[in-house]
Every structure is written in C-alpha cells, then in structure tokens.
Coordinates of all heavy atoms in Angstrom, one line a residue:
F13 N 0.8 -1.2 0.0 CA 0.0 0.0 0.0 C 0.9 1.3 0.0 O 0.3 2.3 0.3 CB -1.0 0.0 1.2 CG -2.0 -1.1 1.1 CD1 -2.8 -1.4 2.2 CD2 -2.2 -1.8 -0.1 CE1 -3.7 -2.4 2.2 CE2 -3.2 -2.8 -0.1 CZ -3.9 -3.1 1.0
G14 N 2.1 1.1 -0.3 CA 2.9 2.3 -0.5 C 2.7 3.0 -1.8 O 2.1 2.3 -2.7
V15 N 3.0 4.2 -1.9 CA 2.9 4.9 -3.2 C 4.3 5.5 -3.5 O 4.8 6.3 -2.7 CB 1.8 6.1 -3.2 CG1 1.7 6.7 -4.5 CG2 0.5 5.5 -2.8
Y16 N 4.8 5.2 -4.7 CA 6.1 5.6 -5.1 C 6.1 6.4 -6.4 O 5.2 6.2 -7.3 CB 7.0 4.4 -5.1 CG 7.0 3.6 -3.9 CD1 6.1 2.5 -3.8 CD2 7.8 3.9 -2.8 CE1 6.1 1.7 -2.6 CE2 7.7 3.1 -1.6 CZ 6.9 2.1 -1.5 OH 6.8 1.4 -0.4
H17 N 7.1 7.2 -6.6 CA 7.2 8.0 -7.8 C 8.6 7.8 -8.4 O 9.7 8.1 -7.7 CB 7.0 9.4 -7.5 CG 7.1 10.4 -8.7 ND1 7.3 11.7 -8.6 CD2 7.1 10.1 -10.0 CE1 7.3 12.2 -9.8 NE2 7.2 11.3 -10.7
L18 N 8.7 7.2 -9.6 CA 10.0 7.1 -10.3 C 10.0 8.2 -11.4 O 9.2 8.2 -12.3 CB 10.0 5.7 -11.0 CG 11.2 5.4 -11.9 CD1 12.6 5.6 -11.1 CD2 11.1 4.1 -12.6
N19 N 11.0 9.1 -11.2 CA 11.1 10.2 -12.1 C 12.4 10.1 -12.9 O 13.5 10.0 -12.4 CB 11.2 11.5 -11.2 CG 11.2 12.8 -12.1 OD1 10.7 12.8 -13.2 ND2 11.9 13.8 -11.7
V20 N 12.2 9.9 -14.2 CA 13.3 9.8 -15.1 C 13.5 11.1 -15.9 O 12.6 11.5 -16.7 CB 13.0 8.6 -16.1 CG1 14.2 8.4 -17.0 CG2 12.7 7.3 -15.4
K21 N 14.6 11.7 -15.7 CA 14.8 13.0 -16.3 C 16.3 13.3 -16.5 O 17.1 13.0 -15.6 CB 14.2 14.1 -15.3 CG 14.3 15.5 -15.9 CD 13.6 16.5 -14.9 CE 13.6 17.9 -15.5 NZ 13.0 18.9 -14.6
N22 N 16.6 13.7 -17.7 CA 18.0 14.1 -18.0 C 19.0 12.9 -17.7 O 20.0 13.1 -17.1 CB 18.4 15.3 -17.3 CG 17.6 16.5 -17.6 OD1 17.1 16.7 -18.8 ND2 17.4 17.4 -16.6
E23 N 18.6 11.7 -18.2 CA 19.4 10.5 -18.0 C 19.7 10.1 -16.6 O 20.7 9.4 -16.3 CB 20.8 10.7 -18.7 CG 20.7 11.0 -20.2 CD 20.1 9.9 -21.0 OE1 20.6 8.7 -20.8 OE2 19.2 10.1 -21.8
T24 N 18.9 10.6 -15.7 CA 19.0 10.2 -14.3 C 17.6 9.7 -13.8 O 16.6 10.0 -14.3 CB 19.4 11.3 -13.4 OG1 18.5 12.4 -13.4 CG2 20.8 11.8 -13.8
C25 N 17.6 8.9 -12.7 CA 16.4 8.3 -12.1 C 16.4 8.6 -10.6 O 17.3 8.3 -9.9 CB 16.4 6.8 -12.4 SG 16.4 6.3 -14.1
D26 N 15.3 9.2 -10.2 CA 15.1 9.5 -8.8 C 13.8 8.8 -8.3 O 12.8 8.8 -9.1 CB 15.0 11.0 -8.5 CG 16.3 11.8 -8.8 OD1 17.3 11.2 -8.6 OD2 16.2 12.9 -9.3
I27 N 13.8 8.3 -7.1 CA 12.6 7.6 -6.6 C 12.2 8.4 -5.4 O 13.0 8.7 -4.4 CB 12.9 6.2 -6.2 CG1 13.4 5.3 -7.4 CG2 11.7 5.6 -5.6 CD1 13.7 3.9 -7.0
F28 N 10.9 8.8 -5.3 CA 10.3 9.5 -4.2 C 9.3 8.5 -3.5 O 8.6 7.8 -4.2 CB 9.6 10.7 -4.7 CG 10.5 11.7 -5.5 CD1 10.6 11.6 -6.8 CD2 11.2 12.7 -4.8 CE1 11.4 12.4 -7.6 CE2 12.0 13.5 -5.5 CZ 12.0 13.4 -6.9
T29 N 9.2 8.6 -2.2 CA 8.1 8.0 -1.5 C 7.0 8.9 -1.3 O 7.1 9.9 -0.5 CB 8.6 7.4 -0.1 OG1 9.6 6.5 -0.4 CG2 7.5 6.7 0.6
I30 N 5.9 8.8 -2.0 CA 4.7 9.7 -1.8 C 4.0 9.3 -0.5 O 3.5 10.2 0.2 CB 3.8 9.6 -3.0 CG1 4.6 10.1 -4.3 CG2 2.6 10.4 -2.9 CD1 3.8 9.9 -5.6
S31 N 3.8 8.0 -0.3 CA 3.1 7.5 0.9 C 3.8 6.3 1.4 O 4.1 5.4 0.7 CB 1.6 7.2 0.6 OG 1.0 6.7 1.7
E32 N 4.1 6.3 2.7 CA 4.8 5.2 3.4 C 3.9 3.9 3.3 O 2.7 4.0 3.4 CB 5.1 5.5 4.8 CG 6.2 6.6 4.9 CD 7.6 6.1 4.6 OE1 7.7 4.8 4.4 OE2 8.5 6.9 4.5
P33 N 4.5 2.7 3.2 CA 3.8 1.5 3.2 C 3.3 1.1 4.6 O 3.8 1.7 5.6 CB 4.8 0.4 2.7 CG 6.1 1.0 3.1 CD 6.0 2.5 3.0
V34 N 2.4 0.2 4.7 CA 1.8 -0.2 6.0 C 2.8 -1.2 6.6 O 3.5 -1.9 5.9 CB 0.4 -0.7 5.9 CG1 -0.5 0.3 5.4 CG2 0.4 -2.0 5.0
N35 N 2.7 -1.4 7.9 CA 3.5 -2.5 8.6 C 2.6 -3.8 8.6 O 1.7 -3.9 9.3 CB 3.7 -2.1 10.0 CG 4.6 -3.1 10.8 OD1 4.8 -4.2 10.3 ND2 5.2 -2.7 11.9
I36 N 3.0 -4.7 7.7 CA 2.1 -5.9 7.5 C 2.3 -6.9 8.6 O 1.4 -7.7 8.8 CB 2.5 -6.6 6.1 CG1 3.9 -7.1 6.2 CG2 2.2 -5.7 5.0 CD1 4.3 -7.9 5.0
Y37 N 3.3 -6.8 9.4 CA 3.5 -7.7 10.5 C 2.9 -7.3 11.8 O 2.8 -8.1 12.7 CB 5.0 -8.0 10.7 CG 5.7 -8.7 9.5 CD1 6.5 -8.0 8.6 CD2 5.4 -10.0 9.2 CE1 7.0 -8.6 7.5 CE2 6.0 -10.7 8.2 CZ 6.8 -9.9 7.3 OH 7.3 -10.6 6.2
K38 N 2.5 -6.1 12.0 CA 1.8 -5.7 13.2 C 0.6 -6.5 13.6 O 0.5 -6.9 14.7 CB 1.5 -4.2 13.1 CG 1.0 -3.6 14.4 CD 0.8 -2.1 14.3 CE 0.2 -1.5 15.6 NZ 0.0 0.0 15.4
P39 N -0.4 -6.6 12.6 CA -1.6 -7.4 13.0 C -1.2 -8.9 13.3 O -1.8 -9.5 14.2 CB -2.4 -7.4 11.7 CG -1.5 -6.9 10.6 CD -0.5 -6.1 11.3
L40 N -0.2 -9.4 12.6 CA 0.2 -10.8 12.9 C 0.8 -11.0 14.3 O 0.4 -11.9 15.0 CB 1.3 -11.3 11.9 CG 1.8 -12.7 12.1 CD1 0.7 -13.7 11.9 CD2 3.0 -12.9 11.1
L41 N 1.6 -10.0 14.7 CA 2.2 -10.1 16.1 C 1.1 -9.9 17.1 O 1.1 -10.6 18.2 CB 3.2 -9.0 16.2 CG 4.5 -9.1 15.4 CD1 5.4 -7.9 15.6 CD2 5.2 -10.4 15.8
I42 N 0.1 -9.1 16.9 CA -1.0 -8.9 17.8 C -1.9 -10.2 17.9 O -2.2 -10.6 19.0 CB -1.9 -7.7 17.4 CG1 -1.1 -6.4 17.5 CG2 -3.2 -7.7 18.3 CD1 -1.9 -5.2 17.0
I43 N -2.2 -10.8 16.8 CA -2.9 -12.0 16.8 C -2.2 -13.2 17.5 O -2.8 -13.9 18.3 CB -3.3 -12.4 15.4 CG1 -4.3 -11.4 14.7 CG2 -3.9 -13.8 15.3 CD1 -4.6 -11.6 13.3
L44 N -0.9 -13.3 17.2 CA -0.1 -14.4 17.8 C 0.0 -14.2 19.3 O -0.1 -15.1 20.1 CB 1.3 -14.4 17.2 CG 1.4 -14.9 15.8 CD1 2.8 -14.9 15.2 CD2 0.8 -16.3 15.7
A45 N 0.2 -12.9 19.8 CA 0.2 -12.6 21.2 C -1.1 -12.9 21.9 O -1.1 -13.5 23.0 CB 0.6 -11.1 21.4
A46 N -2.2 -12.6 21.2 CA -3.5 -12.9 21.8 C -3.7 -14.4 21.9 O -4.2 -14.9 22.9 CB -4.6 -12.3 21.0
L47 N -3.4 -15.1 20.9 CA -3.5 -16.6 20.9 C -2.7 -17.2 21.9 O -3.1 -18.2 22.6 CB -3.2 -17.2 19.5 CG -4.2 -16.9 18.4 CD1 -3.7 -17.4 17.0 CD2 -5.6 -17.5 18.7
L48 N -1.4 -16.8 22.0 CA -0.5 -17.3 23.0 C -1.0 -17.1 24.5 O -1.0 -18.0 25.3 CB 0.9 -16.7 22.9 CG 2.0 -17.2 23.9 CD1 2.2 -18.7 23.7 CD2 3.3 -16.4 23.6
F49 N -1.6 -15.9 24.7 CA -2.1 -15.6 26.0 C -3.3 -16.5 26.3 O -3.4 -17.0 27.5 CB -2.6 -14.1 26.0 CG -3.2 -13.7 27.3 CD1 -2.4 -13.4 28.4 CD2 -4.6 -13.5 27.4 CE1 -3.0 -13.1 29.6 CE2 -5.2 -13.1 28.6 CZ -4.4 -12.9 29.7
L50 N -4.2 -16.7 25.4 CA -5.4 -17.5 25.6 C -4.9 -19.0 25.8 O -5.5 -19.7 26.7 CB -6.3 -17.5 24.4 CG -7.0 -16.1 24.2 CD1 -7.8 -16.1 22.9 CD2 -8.0 -15.8 25.4
C51 N -3.9 -19.5 25.1 CA -3.5 -20.8 25.3 C -2.8 -21.0 26.7 O -3.0 -22.0 27.4 CB -2.5 -21.2 24.2 SG -3.2 -21.5 22.6
L52 N -2.1 -20.0 27.1 CA -1.4 -20.1 28.4 C -2.5 -20.1 29.6 O -2.4 -20.8 30.5 CB -0.5 -18.8 28.6 CG 0.8 -18.9 27.8 CD1 1.6 -17.6 28.0 CD2 1.7 -20.1 28.2
I53 N -3.5 -19.2 29.4 CA -4.6 -19.2 30.4 C -5.3 -20.5 30.5 O -5.6 -21.1 31.5 CB -5.6 -18.0 30.1 CG1 -4.9 -16.7 30.3 CG2 -6.8 -18.1 31.0 CD1 -4.4 -16.4 31.7
W54 N -5.7 -21.0 29.3 CA -6.4 -22.3 29.2 C -5.6 -23.4 29.8 O -6.1 -24.2 30.6 CB -6.7 -22.6 27.8 CG -7.4 -24.0 27.6 CD1 -6.7 -25.2 27.3 CD2 -8.7 -24.3 27.7 NE1 -7.6 -26.2 27.2 CE2 -8.9 -25.7 27.5 CE3 -9.9 -23.5 27.9 CZ2 -10.1 -26.3 27.5 CZ3 -11.1 -24.2 28.0 CH2 -11.2 -25.5 27.7
N55 N -4.3 -23.5 29.5 CA -3.5 -24.6 30.0 C -3.2 -24.4 31.5 O -3.0 -25.4 32.2 CB -2.2 -24.8 29.2 CG -2.4 -25.4 27.9 OD1 -2.5 -26.7 27.8 ND2 -2.5 -24.6 26.8

C-alpha cells in the first residue's frame, strides 16, 4: 500500500516515497500474542 514515484529526467532516475507502506507484521504479532495468551490461560 505504499505509493512511489519514479522520475526519469535528463538521463537520471530518482525515486520518491509519496506515501509510506503499512506495517504488514503488526496485525500478525497482535494475533499471535492474543492466541498465546489464551493458550497459556487455558492450560
């Protein structure tokens, strides 16, 4: 979900970040932590 800009001008290439990407591992860490907590409580 990032947005990038590749500008080719005068035989050179510059890359700009228009919008930063999302952190795809944040929801995974939250879900794994919640599952681990529930398993620990159950056991």
Side-chain angles (χ1 to χ4, degrees):
F13 296 164
V15 181
Y16 306 94
H17 179 198
L18 174 61
N19 185 29
V20 183
K21 185 177 181 181
N22 299 327
E23 302 294 313
T24 61
C25 301
D26 296 323
I27 300 179
F28 305 89
T29 299
I30 297 176
S31 178
E32 291 286 351
V34 299
N35 184 344
I36 64 173
Y37 293 106
K38 185 176 180 180
L40 177 63
L41 293 174
I42 294 174
I43 291 172
L44 290 178
L47 290 175
L48 181 60
F49 177 75
L50 291 175
C51 286
L52 288 174
I53 294 298
W54 175 267
N55 282 282

